[in-house]
Amino acid sequence: MTLAAPVSHSVSRSVVEATELPRIIRIRPNFHVAAFGLMKLLPARFMLDRAEERGEVGPGTTVLETSSGTFGLGLAMVCRLRGYPLTIVGDPAIDAPLKRRLEHLGARVEICPKPSPVGGFQRARLDRLEELRAEYPNHWVPGQYSNPDNPASYALVAEQLAETIGVPDCLVGAVGSGGSTSGTSSFLRMLAPELNLIGVDTQRSAIFGQADGPRVLRGLGNSLVPPNVAHESYDQVHWIGAAEAFAATRELYARHCLFMGPTSGASFKVADWWSRRNPDATVVALLPDEGYRYQDTVYSDEWLQAQGLAHPGAAEPYEVVAPSEPGGSWTWLNWGRRSLAPVVAA
């Protein structure tokens, strides 16, 4: 009997190292997804590495951050493994299961119960964070919305894409802090400056010029404009509704066995539309996290019906000429790599 040649395997030093990069999966010949288990592990680890190198973090340092979602979870995992105490300032978007997961990792979680009149919950969280900074003299704040190490961390994702499938013609991703889309595209454009970048936002998010307001679809969008969003990088911006994102999330699982969250569904929906309109071009969608947090919501027929969202929403987006122009639950704008001010003024 002839034995097969041994397969080379490596042992990871931690779960962070083992899972911080995505799986690259082909959906169709011209359409791939980069599916993360937890995307925010990568910037959390990278930002803490750089802070340790600069001497900003050391024994006795308390880490403070504002997050209502997966960055807080990624940061909690990294801090737990390295022994740093962590306080997360969040809002009611932190549901009970996520709060338990954070606390089981040793994080202290503070919930801001009411939004600020201007800036919403994001402003309320930032204000509370400033109060905590005064309480902890030896502290470090990652600052995911403004820290340039956030987008810089995605050089590893760009390298992975270039080495596996080559530089795509189009990259699609949800925009919250701006780190993943702005960062990954900036490194890919070193190899292919003509790369198209599509940002996926949701209605009543201030990032790309709409008026701030309540949002059902979470994990993307923002009540403030994060400094890490490089507006001049985006070729298109899509504002997608909760119904479209939730239906696409369910489709990802039902058709492709990819059990992901609704921000992934939103990115998938837009990338699928673009790839069908451009069959000779290659598109990659960034899928930020898995769906375990959403089993009682997005993956529940009863919950969707109670919310009035048990329908697929719009099949096609409506093109608008300004962020504030009404056009239904899924609109898109030819952003044209412009800064925010001239687009809003136009």
Side-chain angles (χ1 to χ4, degrees), residues 199-248:
V200 182
D201 200 356
T202 190
Q203 286 85 5
R204 295 175 294 281
S205 163
I207 296 178
F208 291 99
Q210 288 197 4
D212 177 45
R215 297 182 292 278
V216 176
L217 179 59
R218 302 300 297 260
L220 72 171
N222 208 304
S223 296
L224 303 172
V225 181
N228 273 336
V229 177
H231 292 89
E232 297 86 352
S233 298
Y234 297 89
D235 296 282
Q236 289 183 15
V237 171
H238 286 241
W239 292 273
I240 196 164
E244 289 83 2
F246 295 166

Side-chain angles (χ1 to χ4, degrees), residues 240-249 251 269 304 308-316 329-330:
I240 196 164
E244 289 83 2
F246 295 166
T249 303
E251 180 186 357
K269 181 81 171 179
L304 290 175
L309 295 170
H311 59 88
E316 296 281 332
S329 59
W330 179 12

Side-chain angles (χ1 to χ4, degrees), residues 21-38:
L21 289 177
R23 298 158 293 166
I24 309 301
I25 301 164
R26 187 174 74 169
I27 302 297
R28 292 192 298 274
N30 76 323
F31 181 15
H32 293 75
V33 298
F36 290 83
L38 182 62

Side-chain angles (χ1 to χ4, degrees), residues 225-278:
V225 181
N228 273 336
V229 177
H231 292 89
E232 297 86 352
S233 298
Y234 297 89
D235 296 282
Q236 289 183 15
V237 171
H238 286 241
W239 292 273
I240 196 164
E244 289 83 2
F246 295 166
T249 303
R250 299 279 292 259
E251 180 186 357
L252 258 176
Y253 188 49
R255 293 187 58 188
H256 305 289
C257 301
L258 280 163
F259 187 55
M260 309 301 294
T263 49
S264 298
S267 295
F268 175 81
K269 181 81 171 179
V270 173
D272 182 62
W273 172 81
W274 194 93
S275 69
R276 294 182 188 280
R277 286 169 54 105
N278 299 273

Side-chain angles (χ1 to χ4, degrees), residues 324-343:
S324 58
E325 180 184 349
S329 59
W330 179 12
T331 60
W332 75 279
L333 174 65
N334 182 19
W335 193 269
R337 302 194 187 188
R338 292 173 288 174
S339 59
L340 180 62
V343 175

